[in-house]
Amino acid sequence: MVRVPSLSDFRQTMTTEEFWALFGEVEHEQLDFKRGVSTNIRETISAMAMTHGGLIVHGIDDRRTIVGCPLSQNNQDRITRIATECGVDVQVRTVVVGPHELTITAVPEVRGRIVTTPDGRLLRRVGGDSQPIRGDAMARFVREREYRSGEDEPLALFRPETFSLDALNQALAADGRGHVGPTQLIHALTDLNVAAAAPPPLGSHVLQAAAILFASKPRELIRGAAVQLVRRVGVGPQPGPATAREECSAPLVATADCCLKFIADHTRGVETVSGPRREILPEYPQAVLREAIVNALAHRDYSLKGSTVDISVWDDRVEVHSPGPLPGHITLENMRTEHYSRNPRIMRVLKTVGLVEEYGEGVERMYREMESRLLEPPVFSANDSSVTVTLYNRSVVDVEEQLWLQALEGVNLTADERRLLVEVRRAGGTIAPRQVREAMPGADTRELLARAQAKGLLARTGTRGGSRYTLADFIIPLAGGSVTTHAQVLLDEIRRRGSLSTPEGVKLIGIAPGAVRAVLNKLAQAGLIRAEGRTRGRRYFIR
């Protein structure tokens, strides 16, 4: 997680090494380096204000060389004038790094109104760039920013005993903070930005975001802060009979775990045997289910009182239904590459505890995980009142083949390459181009085979009409079934004996010691065996 330093993190003087350790050298949504105080900071200020806020460090050139930018009267006036033109209240201070003085502009996130550049452009930060928002996306973004998120509403009644200190302390530990007790609860919630200052005698407002994240039973404090789960028989489209129901309402991380358990209890886990390993493959990838559930909880509209997240488990699919439309400028077309947080306070805490990765990567990860098992991609649908993601359990390969593909998780493969390897495996380890064309009529056979060969996945023998393609040595041991090669023979013998040396392998399969050693090393690289000892006395064992 990229942590953006706050102004309080800066000492007045620091070394170059301390500066780069604090900031890092990569620009991102909340960090921008400028050589001086140029007029284009109006774009950066307005874009940061419309995203998550951030820092502009003046005095760093494009090569990440510290050149200095003192806070002269002229620079102070320019920054203040440009920020005023954008309608943003910024803070400015200096820090001395080695022999150079730098100027730092802190830009706050602005919600409840729209910030544009002086010439009327609406921008937002994407990575290290400030990009415009246009068309229908602009209209929806404006509506979203002008509306107050449900997470920002103060709790009507705050009682410390209704909060889970365990859940809170886990988040504090992930943020590098010490554990707290009941008397320090409000202070800790303020540190995590889910409580806000209030005038006396209250002193602070505990926000709904705090209850959603850390209340033992959020639904008792916020109507609708729960997940309703149901297992239905059949595939619809009309509601089938329900065989099980459950409600999950707990601190957000525990709610996600509760939902995953319900789905696991009401979907199939297929037990398969691959060599010496006995594994259970869940019907749906766990990472995809977790992402879908966390997205629903983190991005739903909590201002819709009484509406819950609903999860339906059918025979052929899981549907996760979230209250509220797509947030901000997000559309069904751009959701794999863009992101917007309707509930940024909740998202920041979830990112801190590691439940979400970098903003915007979750949806893309869902597609990758489904593709890794050749399952159908997620299906998203949305209207003005809700967003639904549907995960189907349909695949072009069977469960045992999906498990085999899981063993290739560390290999960078496209969906077509995965399907190709399955077809080669089905053919006994070697295949002709004609067989590939018949099995995969929509693929460019020549290009696909050439790419697989270039990646070292397949080895080609023969030419023209007589060419055939064979699984690479490091893949064959994972293939199981009827595929038998030098690698498979060696692997089977290691399993039988418990260990094997290179000379013993030479006697077994009758090829040169260097060739045997190469096969054994590839098996080790594939994670199937391990090597112990020096070259002459080295033996290979099953992992």
Side-chain angles (χ1 to χ4, degrees):
M1 166 183 168
V2 178
R3 181 180 181 273
V4 181
S6 65
L7 291 180
S8 61
D9 291 328
F10 306 152
R11 296 199 309 273
Q12 185 62 42
T13 303
M14 63 179 73
T15 66
T16 302
E17 292 75 18
E18 289 171 335
F19 174 84
W20 290 121
L22 183 62
F23 283 87
E25 298 187 17
V26 179
E27 291 181 328
H28 50 80
E29 286 183 350
Q30 295 181 269
L31 180 64
D32 198 284
F33 295 121
K34 301 291 186 186
R35 183 181 181 90
V37 182
S38 59
T39 56
N40 67 2
I41 67 166
R42 59 170 56 96
E43 297 181 350
T44 309
I45 290 174
S46 60
M48 282 185 172
M50 287 289 90
T51 313
H52 300 297
L55 300 176
I56 305 172
V57 183
H58 309 269
I60 311 288
D61 69 14
D62 290 340
R63 294 172 297 177
R64 300 299 183 265
T65 301
I66 299 176
V67 296
C69 180
L71 185 58
S72 64
Q73 186 64 54
N74 183 53
N75 284 338
Q76 173 78 62
D77 292 345
R78 294 189 68 176
I79 293 171
T80 302
R81 184 179 66 254
I82 290 171
T84 301
E85 290 173 352
C86 296
V88 180
D89 293 325
V90 301
Q91 292 180 281
V92 182
R93 65 161 293 180
T94 62
V95 60
V96 176
V97 180
H100 300 287
E101 180 180 334
L102 305 180
T103 295
I104 298 177
T105 301
V107 182
E109 179 182 3
V110 175
R111 298 190 71 88
R113 63 183 177 88
I114 297 300
V115 173
T116 67
T117 59
D119 59 0
R121 288 175 295 146
L122 179 58
L123 308 174
R124 63 185 298 274
R125 293 285 287 182
V126 178
D129 296 326
S130 300
Q131 296 187 1
I133 305 174
R134 301 187 176 95
D136 181 59
M138 178 187 292
R140 287 184 293 103
F141 183 89
V142 169
R143 287 196 299 271
E144 185 77 26
R145 296 302 288 202
E146 290 180 337
Y147 130 94
R148 181 174 180 173
S149 172
E151 71 163 6
D152 286 332
E153 295 181 18
L155 280 178
L157 178 63
F158 170 68
R159 289 178 296 149
E161 64 273 16
T162 62
F163 279 71
S164 167
L165 283 176
D166 286 343
L168 176 60
N169 280 319
Q170 288 174 16
L172 292 171
D175 199 35
R177 304 174 188 270
H179 282 210
V180 299
T183 60
Q184 302 163 298
L185 179 61
I186 291 182
H187 181 73
L189 294 174
T190 303
D191 285 345
L192 291 173
N193 199 33
V194 291
L202 294 176
S204 68
H205 284 306
V206 176
L207 305 178
Q208 289 195 157
I212 293 161
L213 288 161
F214 303 122
S216 298
K217 295 181 179 179
R219 190 164 194 185
E220 294 181 355
L221 303 175
I222 306 168
R223 287 192 306 118
V227 181
Q228 302 292 336
L229 300 105
V230 60
R231 174 63 168 100
R232 296 193 179 279
V233 176
V235 297
Q238 299 302 318
T243 59
R245 292 182 182 272
E246 187 172 339
E247 177 179 287
C248 294
S249 181
L252 195 148
V253 175
T255 296
D257 290 338
C258 173
C259 295
L260 287 170
K261 183 180 184 306
F262 179 91
I263 295 172
D265 289 344
H266 296 93
T267 53
R268 293 175 296 128
V270 182
E271 185 175 289
T272 61
V273 178
S274 178
R277 301 191 302 273
R278 185 179 299 275
E279 300 186 40
I280 295 179
L281 187 71
E283 193 169 353
Y284 301 89
Q286 289 296 99
V288 177
L289 290 172
R290 180 175 289 276
E291 195 69 45
I293 293 165
V294 170
N295 277 348
L297 292 169
H299 295 299
R300 62 151 293 179
D301 188 346
Y302 283 99
S303 68
L304 298 175
K305 306 297 185 183
S307 298
T308 60
V309 171
D310 298 327
I311 298 177
S312 300
V313 181
W314 298 80
D315 291 351
D316 67 334
R317 67 192 184 278
V318 172
E319 295 177 351
V320 181
H321 182 83
S322 177
L326 287 168
H329 68 293
I330 300 301
T331 66
L332 294 175
E333 291 71 32
N334 69 14
M335 66 192 315
R336 293 182 68 174
T337 56
E338 297 281 338
H339 74 272
Y340 180 90
S341 298
R342 172 180 281 127
N343 304 302
R345 297 177 192 274
I346 292 173
M347 281 297 292
R348 285 172 191 149
V349 173
L350 294 182
K351 191 175 178 185
T352 296
V353 300
L355 200 58
V356 299
E357 298 178 3
E358 290 303 310
Y359 295 130
E361 292 185 357
V363 172
E364 180 60 29
R365 183 185 178 196
M366 292 173 68
Y367 279 88
R368 291 197 308 267
E369 292 284 345
M370 295 294 277
E371 181 182 278
S372 72
R373 283 175 50 181
L374 295 182
L375 291 162
E376 291 186 15
V379 177
F380 290 86
S381 58
N383 55 39
D384 290 340
S385 61
S386 64
V387 178
T388 301
V389 57
T390 303
L391 306 173
Y392 288 96
N393 57 19
R394 298 191 290 259
S395 176
V396 295
V397 298
D398 63 31
V399 173
E400 194 274 334
E401 289 166 334
Q402 290 181 43
L403 185 65
W404 181 64
L405 288 172
Q406 291 287 94
L408 301 177
E409 186 177 359
V411 184
N412 183 22
L413 300 173
T414 66
D416 278 349
E417 288 165 354
R418 291 175 183 276
R419 176 71 185 277
L420 172 63
L421 293 181
V422 169
E423 293 301 334
V424 181
R425 181 177 186 262
R426 288 174 175 175
T430 184
I431 201 167
R434 172 186 56 79
Q435 294 171 284
V436 178
R437 284 193 294 271
E438 292 173 354
M440 303 175 63
D444 184 333
T445 301
R446 179 178 298 179
E447 192 273 337
L448 179 59
L449 288 169
R451 194 169 68 233
Q453 185 182 2
K455 285 186 174 183
L457 305 172
L458 300 178
R460 178 178 174 176
T461 58
T463 58
R464 296 185 179 180
S467 62
R468 297 188 68 82
Y469 293 82
T470 303
L471 289 173
D473 283 342
F474 81 95
I475 290 179
I476 289 173
L478 303 172
S482 60
V483 179
T484 303
T485 66
H486 291 151
Q488 190 67 54
V489 171
L490 292 172
L491 187 62
D492 289 343
E493 189 66 10
I494 295 172
R495 288 172 179 155
R496 187 180 71 82
R497 295 187 182 195
S499 68
L500 192 75
S501 67
T502 299
E504 290 168 344
V506 171
K507 291 180 181 179
L508 180 66
I509 59 179
I511 62 175
V516 171
R517 193 176 301 114
V519 174
L520 290 169
N521 287 336
K522 286 184 179 179
L523 289 172
Q525 291 169 7
L528 296 169
I529 62 175
R530 72 179 193 279
E532 292 185 6
R534 297 185 177 275
T535 304
R536 290 190 176 183
R538 179 172 297 166
R539 297 193 70 81
Y540 296 86
F541 299 81
I542 289 292
R543 278 195 179 276

